[in-house]
Amino acid sequence: MVALLGYSREQIRAAVCDMYSQVARAPTSGFHFPVGRQIAEALGYPPARLQGLPEATLRAFAGVGYPFRAEAVRPGDTVLDIGAGAGNDSLIAAGLVGSAGRVIALDLTPAMTATLYHAAQAGGCDNVAVVQGSAERLPLSDGSVDVVTSNGALNLVPDKRRAVAEMFRVLRPGGRLQMADVVIRRPVTVDCGEDPRLWVECVVGATVDEELLHLFREAGFEAVEVLRRHDYFAHSPSAQTREIAESFGAHSLDLGMRRAATAPSTLQRWLWRADPRHWLAALRRRGFLGVAALLLALLSCYGTLAALALLPLLGYSLAVDEGAWAVAIAAFALLTLAAVAAGVRRHGRWAVVALAATGVSVILYALFIQYSLVVELAGFLLLAGGVVLDAWLRRRHQARVLGLEAAPR
């Protein structure tokens, strides 16, 4: 999941409260993310569904998608709206559940809950209860709601695994979850601790899309479905935010799913987390595939040599096909080179690829033409230099895109 990047959770919560308090009090003052009725309609809200909502509520709309696309809310339901904001979705849900249903609108920001409370009172929505609280610790009993809805809140939550577990806990078995949230295709890896503004601009705190879906499945949700993806940041008035979003592949999506009848066991959760396919994908997205491949090359080379030397001392013998051994080492070295070459799309420095390619060439020479331990070690040092430089340049590129004054340490 996304790292906290140097923040404390208190700093994140304070930054979120400060930013969205400004949205509640002065929604037309201009933000790095789109706000208001126009973005709601662009994301898919039918004008008829927005009809009748208080103007103050619509002006402060800061959602990132259209969660009602999942059609999870039914008459008579008890609905929990997490990160309710000014209350657009809460008031829409109140109309859908009718007088027999109930909506619990929860938000972290006092200014937003005040706006929502006044809107509900003015609209005569006596089936809406406004609660201030955190998604990480929902003030509700187990299995107490039929539907959870959320729009643009999870990316602002520091502990996403806990928040998802809380959603599962408060939903009844078979209960439904509809949500919209910001996701990224490439994770943020730089230290953004000196600029807390970045977190509340939705990109830095977002999760890689595949990892977000995995997180819900791991928690025990089933029929997890992406209903639509939005180029949300194309509507941002900030050129810098649009550049950041493009760099990380940030966009928003609408999701629908349901709670399974029973929670997965601890063993099942750990098996899902240990799935090697998940870890390989995570390494690739984070730019660590080159490091992993280099370590495997070193292990296959010198780890095997160590085993050949030590096992006879323990009374065991090990026969190794030297040709297959050399091919395995070469394959991992070439995989390392491919991972370094992929970094050029980020930093544009072909010299790093040339350094790594030189290292691979030297290794191949030692393996297949004329073996020399010194030559082989020199090749691995050159390849390692390429891997380290690639990682450093990727971080510098992200620092530049995020507008940090200096490259991260």
Side-chain angles (χ1 to χ4, degrees), residues 262-300:
T262 58
S265 66
T266 302
L267 177 60
Q268 285 177 310
R269 287 197 180 101
W270 281 108
L271 287 174
W272 286 334
R273 293 179 194 178
D275 187 338
R277 294 171 299 178
H278 173 69
W279 285 103
L280 282 173
L283 286 171
R284 176 181 56 79
R285 287 191 293 264
R286 284 165 171 76
F288 294 149
L289 186 58
V291 175
L294 176 62
L295 291 175
L296 287 172
L298 290 168
L299 182 63
S300 62

Side-chain angles (χ1 to χ4, degrees), residues 80-83 135-138 140-151 153-155 157 159-172 175-181 212 215-216 219 221 257 259:
L80 170 64
D81 185 1
I82 297 176
E136 297 172 340
R137 193 181 296 274
L138 297 174
L140 298 172
S141 58
D142 296 359
S144 57
V145 302
D146 301 295
V147 179
V148 168
T149 186
S150 180
N151 194 345
L154 191 59
N155 69 90
V157 176
D159 191 343
K160 291 169 176 53
R161 177 170 274 113
R162 180 168 181 171
V164 171
E166 281 288 274
M167 294 178 193
F168 185 91
R169 180 184 67 80
V170 301
L171 274 170
R172 64 168 176 78
R176 302 169 299 282
L177 170 61
Q178 61 173 38
M179 67 174 292
D181 213 85
L212 182 67
L215 185 61
F216 279 105
F221 287 93
M257 65 195 79
R259 182 199 189 277

Side-chain angles (χ1 to χ4, degrees), residues 176-191:
R176 302 169 299 282
L177 170 61
Q178 61 173 38
M179 67 174 292
D181 213 85
V182 172
V183 292
I184 50 180
R185 291 195 172 93
R186 293 175 290 278
V188 179
T189 58
V190 299
D191 182 2

